[in-house]
């Protein structure tokens, strides 16, 4: 229907404004959509270059918006369908290829030190929808008190750096704000170099670099903890930026409450805005991550092999991608030799990466390892008779998880802790059971420990 084609951009603008869709959500999900056809009062909307997960998301979240706006505009009842782009469908549709990036934008991206691969558009949301949504909000409105600083924590390879970098890309591409991304190691090296030179000019140059910006993105903050000079300089930089309403985004492997040797004033500062935890990707998300990663390769690994990898590697995205690269390289050689890569061959290729078809049996020793690593304490301290404040909670969590993740008895747990009877264990288990009902931070910490244990 020609009127829909003529009014297409207007229809999208109405949806943007009337349904309170954020600017960045509009840019990612709605703006690229194209009108394809209308038959029997069914409007088909094309998703250029889309993937199945995009199709599912748009159907679930945007169908009603388009149906209501189109039906209201044409004074009739219309249904809406979304369709992934195929070559034959794209014929006759104006190209939506992006224009070359202008020189100023290129210069801003280069000076910001951002990885060019990481954007919101290619982040697989999956079960990290909350983290994704908050990062979108920060990108659209940096410096808001409720999300400044934004502290993103979670295990290695779960997407913290991807989301942080995506924030930087969006801000640079849509505003004139100055962004700088730096790893904590790079920051520390610059501090050391400034101190080593021993002159005010060098230190002034360093401070000007980090304090005369609008957005600071600092990765893996845990590596500067305990480095007194670096920690002090970062604290001063942090305060200067926050006090001037500048946005700070920080990543770490742990929640600020659980970073060992972090002084209290920094802990308080880090939790003054919003903290987000990146979750381990679930089965569906891991498959989606591999399908997104597969776009970078000219040979498509069979679906059953992708599913096999996703169901056996649960720890992080880097390991998923590493396994995919292994089967891709071998699959490419098989293809060139006129053969097919099947699941049995893939299992043989991955035998050192995926050691067994069976998940690891969870044992008290694995739980002890998970708790001690998460809280940054010695495993022997948990099983000792020490009663330091920093030991008591991890010990009770160890008791609770042994009781809930294994078949070991209370007496068995007591024996592991060298206790004469199990009454102390029962008290610890009950205390954690009651506390997690009302304490969301503790509940999140225990889930994080569980996820860590399941990766061993």
């Amino acid at each position: 229907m020609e009127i829909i084609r003529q009014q297409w951009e207007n229809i999208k603008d109405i949806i943007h404004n009337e349904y309170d869709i954020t600017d960045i959500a509009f840019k990612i999900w709605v703006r690229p959509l194209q009108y394809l056809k209308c038959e029997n009062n069914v409007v088909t909307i094309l998703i250029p270059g889309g993937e199945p997960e995009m199709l599912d998301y748009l159907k679930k979240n945007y169908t009603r918006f388009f149906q209501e706006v189109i039906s209201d505009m044409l004074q009739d009842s219309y249904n809406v369908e979304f369709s992934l782009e195929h070559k034959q469908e794209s014929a006759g549709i104006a190209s939506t290829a992006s224009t070359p990036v202008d020189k100023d934008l290129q210069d801003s991206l280069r000076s910001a030190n951002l990885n060019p691969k990481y954007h919101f558009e290619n982040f697989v949301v999956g079960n990290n929808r909350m983290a994704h949504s908050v990062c979108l909000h920060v990108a659209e409105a940096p410096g808001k008190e409720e999300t400044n600083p934004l502290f993103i924590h979670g295990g290695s390879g779960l997407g913290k750096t991807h989301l942080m970098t995506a924030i930087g890309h969006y801000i640079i591409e849509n505003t004139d704000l100055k962004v700088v991304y730096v790893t904590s190691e790079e920051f520390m090296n610059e501090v050391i170099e400034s101190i080593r030179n021993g002159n005010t000019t060098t230190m002034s140059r360093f401070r000007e670099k980090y304090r005369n910006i609008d957005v600071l993105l600092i990765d893996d903050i845990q590596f500067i903890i305990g480095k007194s000079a670096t920690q002090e300089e970062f604290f001063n930089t942090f305060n200067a930026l926050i006090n001037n309403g500048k946005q700070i985004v920080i990543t770490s492997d742990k929640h600020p409450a659980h970073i060992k040797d972090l002084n209290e004033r920094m802990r308080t500062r880090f939790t003054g805005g919003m903290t987000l935890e990146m979750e381990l990707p679930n089965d569906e998300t891991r498959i989606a991550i591999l399908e997104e990663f597969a776009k970078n390769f000219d040979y498509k690994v069979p679906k059953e092999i992708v599913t096999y990898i996703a169901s056996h590697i649960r720890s992080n995205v880097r390991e998923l991608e590493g396994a995919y690269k292994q089967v891709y390289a071998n699959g490419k050689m098989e293809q060139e030799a006129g053969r097919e890569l099947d699941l049995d061959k893939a299992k043989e290729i991955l035998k050192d990466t995926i050691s067994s078809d069976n998940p690891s049996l969870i044992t008290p020793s694995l739980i002890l390892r998970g708790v001690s690593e998460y809280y940054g304490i010695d495993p022997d301290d948990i099983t000792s008779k020490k009663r330091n404040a920093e030991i008591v909670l991890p010990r009770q969590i160890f008791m609770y998880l042994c009781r809930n993740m294994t078949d070991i008895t209370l007496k068995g747990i007591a024996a592991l802790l060298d206790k004469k009877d199990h009454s102390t264990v029962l008290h610890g288990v009950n205390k954690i059971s009651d506390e997690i009902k009302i304490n969301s931070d503790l509940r999140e910490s225990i889930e994080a420990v569980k996820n860590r244990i399941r990766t061993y």
Side-chain angles (χ1 to χ4, degrees), residues 77-94:
S77 179
Y78 285 83
N79 290 320
V80 163
E81 292 180 351
F82 292 95
S83 175
L84 296 176
E85 181 181 38
H86 301 294
K87 290 182 180 178
Q88 62 268 29
E89 289 177 336
S90 60
I93 296 175

Side-chain angles (χ1 to χ4, degrees), residues 111-128:
S111 64
N113 194 31
L114 297 174
N115 188 319
K117 296 189 301 181
Y118 296 147
H119 297 263
F120 283 117
E121 291 85 344
N122 63 358
F123 180 81
V124 178
V125 179
N127 53 321
N128 276 305

Side-chain angles (χ1 to χ4, degrees), residues 20 36 42 82 252 259 265 327 334 373 403:
D20 197 27
L36 184 61
V42 176
F82 292 95
S252 173
I259 299 177
R265 60 178 185 168
V327 295
E334 291 287 306
E373 286 183 356
R403 187 62 174 155

Side-chain angles (χ1 to χ4, degrees), residues 18-226:
E18 293 198 0
Y19 292 95
D20 197 27
I21 296 172
T22 65
D23 289 345
I24 191 164
F26 178 76
K27 177 183 177 182
I28 291 172
W29 297 107
V30 181
R31 182 182 291 166
L33 298 177
Q34 299 174 357
Y35 169 71
L36 184 61
K37 60 183 178 180
C38 179
E39 296 176 353
N40 300 320
N41 280 38
V42 176
V43 176
T44 302
I45 299 172
L46 190 65
I47 308 170
E51 293 297 318
E53 63 269 18
M54 293 179 64
L55 177 62
D56 292 341
Y57 183 82
L58 285 162
K59 285 167 64 176
K60 180 179 178 181
N61 293 280
Y62 288 91
T63 298
R64 179 174 66 86
F65 301 161
F66 278 97
Q67 285 180 174
E68 290 178 357
V69 171
I70 293 172
S71 297
D72 185 62
M73 179 178 286
L74 300 182
Q75 297 296 297
D76 199 355
S77 179
Y78 285 83
N79 290 320
V80 163
E81 292 180 351
F82 292 95
S83 175
L84 296 176
E85 181 181 38
H86 301 294
K87 290 182 180 178
Q88 62 268 29
E89 289 177 336
S90 60
I93 296 175
S95 170
T96 59
S98 58
T99 56
V101 180
D102 63 63
K103 185 178 183 302
D104 288 342
L105 180 55
Q106 286 179 329
D107 291 343
S108 295
L109 290 170
R110 191 178 301 111
S111 64
N113 194 31
L114 297 174
N115 188 319
K117 296 189 301 181
Y118 296 147
H119 297 263
F120 283 117
E121 291 85 344
N122 63 358
F123 180 81
V124 178
V125 179
N127 53 321
N128 276 305
R129 190 162 301 283
M130 174 66 176
H132 181 261
S133 176
V134 171
C135 288
L136 287 175
H137 173 73
V138 170
E140 190 174 32
K144 297 293 183 182
E145 185 175 351
E146 65 272 15
T147 52
N148 195 22
L150 176 62
F151 194 101
I152 309 172
H153 65 98
S156 175
L158 297 184
K160 303 186 299 295
T161 300
H162 190 143
L163 281 178
M164 168 189 274
T165 306
I167 292 172
H169 275 293
Y170 180 83
I171 292 173
I172 289 174
E173 291 165 6
N174 293 277
T175 72
D176 294 326
L177 300 180
K178 186 175 181 181
V179 177
V180 168
Y181 166 88
V182 64
T183 67
S184 61
E185 183 180 14
E186 291 168 339
F187 186 89
M188 180 172 62
N189 289 341
E190 290 184 49
V191 171
I192 292 170
E193 187 63 27
S194 298
I195 293 172
R196 183 179 294 145
N197 285 335
N199 60 70
T200 56
T201 302
T202 305
M203 184 56 76
S204 295
R205 192 181 302 119
F206 167 83
R207 289 173 177 164
E208 182 178 350
K209 173 183 176 179
Y210 286 106
R211 300 187 192 184
N212 293 332
I213 58 176
D214 301 292
V215 181
L216 174 62
L217 313 173
I218 183 158
D219 219 351
D220 290 323
I221 195 68
Q222 70 272 12
F223 292 125
I224 71 170
I225 306 306

